[in-house]
Amino acid sequence: MKASLYTLFDDQWRNHLLPLTFTRPVSELRCGILTIREKWERLLNTTISSWKTEDYLSEKYPQQEEKNQIFLNGHCCANATLAAQVATLNAKQGLRQGELIIAFFPENGNSPDSIETWIEITEPVRLIQKTWQLFHFSKEEMEADFQLLTHKRKSAVIPETVQTISSENIFIEAGAKLNFVTINASSGPVYIGCNTEIMEGTTIRGPFALCEHATVNMGARIYGPVTIGPHSKVGGELNTVIIHGYSNKGHDGFLGHSYIGEWCNLGASTNTSNLKNDYSEVKLWNYPSQRFLKTGLQFCGLIMGDHSKSGIQTMFNSGTVIGVGCNIHGSGYPRNFVPSFSNGGTHGFEEHPVRTVLNTAEKVMARRNVILTDTDKKIITSVFEQTKIYRRY
């Protein structure tokens, strides 16, 4: 008996990925060019529209009820070998690495308790269990995703005005616009998605990905690995960055070793430190332990949740975590952990009312012809309630 449905599940590490997972299951996070779900879909040649996640997210990300389904770990960046093992699973079989469950095929229900045969995975599996791992693993994942996206396909012609190094590592989708741009793909592939635009004077060193309908403004300077998600706009200087989608960093300013969620906006001359002055290890706020934990990284910048904004000339210190629905402004560095729905800066913070965040979100999304649905409003309101305990100003 073979599976007819795949469901992605969040495991016990889900809360370590807050604030990014306040508004989505883990599998919807982007690492490399693709989201974790999209990697599984391409490798299994299927469409996945079933998630086992938090109750308050389940209206937007529902779990499909079907008898013959395989459950996939949404923290796992799939590869061809792993996908092949998943495809051969029969009922009552599962894959695991040590105590960590990677996939399982229950005979009934959605619990691994009925699994009779566990197959141990011997090859390394890349798991996303901490926020910083999303950009830390990005180079390898970008290279793998580039192969998935371009295999047996032909790139659009590179315009004559574009200067390139290692042009064989550059792939351009239909509808992309770029002129008087410099691209060096010798250190990693460069993927330019459909209906994108890279404006004049931009200099790019791979690996780099510009997802569909995204824009790079004039004179940007980009050091890979950098992924600009769909419908986003960037400018200035970027190094080792993932912008999930529908977010803007359109002006000058440095952003490094950072992950930016959806519907965020970084004001002009917003700058992020990704290295401490004493070159010591960066600590990052961890929600389950409610304290700052060592990352093992010397370079770590900003983690920003959905619907957060920064004013002009905002400065973020290395290892800063900004929650969902925040409005950061004023001179100087704000604290290294800003709870969700906070408004302020070094001069102090106050609660950013959920009605204000929702009103702003409606206006921002309407500009991209996207509707803030009642379901979205429920999720944001639920996050507001969940995060009250952190807003102790």
Side-chain angles (χ1 to χ4, degrees), residues 233 248 263 265 360-370:
K233 183 178 289 187
N248 289 341
W263 306 109
N265 188 75
T360 302
E362 278 190 308
K363 295 173 186 176
V364 170
M365 294 170 74
R367 295 175 67 225
R368 306 289 184 88
N369 299 312
V370 178

Side-chain angles (χ1 to χ4, degrees), residues 349-360:
F349 284 93
E350 61 183 6
E351 187 171 85
H352 199 197
V354 68
R355 65 179 180 278
T356 303
V357 174
L358 291 173
N359 287 339
T360 302

Side-chain angles (χ1 to χ4, degrees), residues 268-310:
S269 297
T270 292
N271 282 284
T272 299
S273 167
N274 64 343
L275 174 67
K276 298 175 72 172
N277 284 356
D278 62 2
Y279 289 64
S280 61
E281 179 180 353
V282 177
K283 294 182 180 180
L284 207 60
W285 175 261
N286 177 268
Y287 279 82
S289 63
Q290 297 195 31
R291 61 190 179 94
F292 291 90
L293 297 182
K294 293 181 178 180
T295 61
L297 302 178
Q298 192 176 64
F299 291 92
C300 184
L302 172 67
I303 306 295
M304 179 176 276
D306 291 2
H307 296 285
S308 286
K309 314 285 189 288
S310 70

